[in-house]
Amino acid sequence: MLIGGAIGAASGNPFLTAPAAFAAHFVFDLIPHNDYIYYYWNRWKFIYLSPLALLQLFSGGVVILLFGLTHPNGLAILTGGFFGLLPDLITGSLVIFGHRNNFFNTLHHRLHFHGDLGERFYLRFAGGQLLDKNKENGNCRENWRRIKSTGWGNLGWGIELSIELVIVFLFLRFLLG
């Protein structure tokens, strides 16, 4: 969402921003990021409705709305924020309404980075093993515990978090001018 807003601020053209922000979502999904956190604190059937997901959606929406209402390229920022978030909205809606296996979700899943750095460090340097990553059987929670129990897993997640924070900081700095 923030990346889409920054694209809007840069382009100033909502018609160019929409496809660029939509595509940027998939490009940034290639960057390692930790989705295990949703499973650890989540007892919800769908991670898209978890309190953490809703908090991120709300806080990102507030930031985009504030920039969109005060920036000279406000319409493009709002357009970018919406279209940057749209792939996750589509995927979440399809999953919630029982249409998990379709072309869009398959494409989105394939483009999404698989195996966050905490997981990769745990497997490679700590010699750990993970359970099947089927999200419906509770294994993500157990895998999260296994990875968290090692310094290597925590180091990988720390690197990921640092990368994410740097990206958010750079885009917010760009939006602030």
Side-chain angles (χ1 to χ4, degrees):
M1 184 181 320
L2 292 176
I3 293 161
I7 291 170
S11 78
N13 182 332
F15 297 105
L16 295 176
T17 297
F22 191 81
H25 177 100
F26 296 107
V27 171
F28 278 88
D29 266 352
L30 295 171
I31 295 172
H33 56 286
N34 180 359
D35 287 337
Y36 275 108
I37 194 168
Y38 289 106
Y39 302 108
Y40 182 72
W41 284 310
N42 182 28
R43 298 217 187 273
W44 297 75
K45 183 174 180 180
F46 304 109
I47 64 168
Y48 308 101
L49 298 175
S50 72
L52 180 60
L54 296 175
L55 175 67
Q56 289 175 332
L57 177 64
F58 177 77
S59 60
V62 167
V63 168
I64 290 297
L65 188 60
L66 289 174
F67 282 116
L69 295 176
T70 60
H71 195 277
N73 293 335
L75 181 59
I77 290 173
L78 294 170
T79 302
F82 175 76
F83 279 91
L85 178 64
L86 190 57
D88 283 342
L89 291 176
I90 292 170
T91 295
S93 298
L94 289 169
V95 168
I96 289 167
F97 292 109
H99 304 288
R100 186 175 300 272
N101 300 320
N102 58 66
F103 174 76
F104 186 83
N105 284 2
T106 301
L107 174 68
H108 194 178
H109 182 73
R110 285 190 180 153
L111 293 176
H112 204 276
F113 183 82
H114 295 284
D116 62 56
L117 292 183
E119 180 178 307
R120 292 204 176 183
F121 280 34
Y122 170 77
L123 293 171
R124 176 156 179 126
F125 301 117
Q129 293 182 333
L130 297 175
L131 302 172
D132 172 38
K133 288 174 38 171
N134 181 344
K135 294 174 181 144
E136 276 73 39
N137 63 13
N139 286 347
C140 286
R141 185 178 178 93
E142 177 57 30
N143 285 341
W144 190 91
R145 284 186 179 141
R146 289 179 182 196
I147 296 167
K148 187 180 183 300
S149 71
T150 68
W152 285 109
N154 288 312
L155 175 63
W157 282 341
I159 292 169
E160 273 182 16
L161 180 60
S162 299
I163 292 168
E164 290 177 28
L165 291 174
V166 166
I167 290 170
V168 168
F169 172 77
L170 290 174
F171 279 99
L172 287 175
R173 188 164 181 226
F174 177 78
L175 283 172
L176 291 171

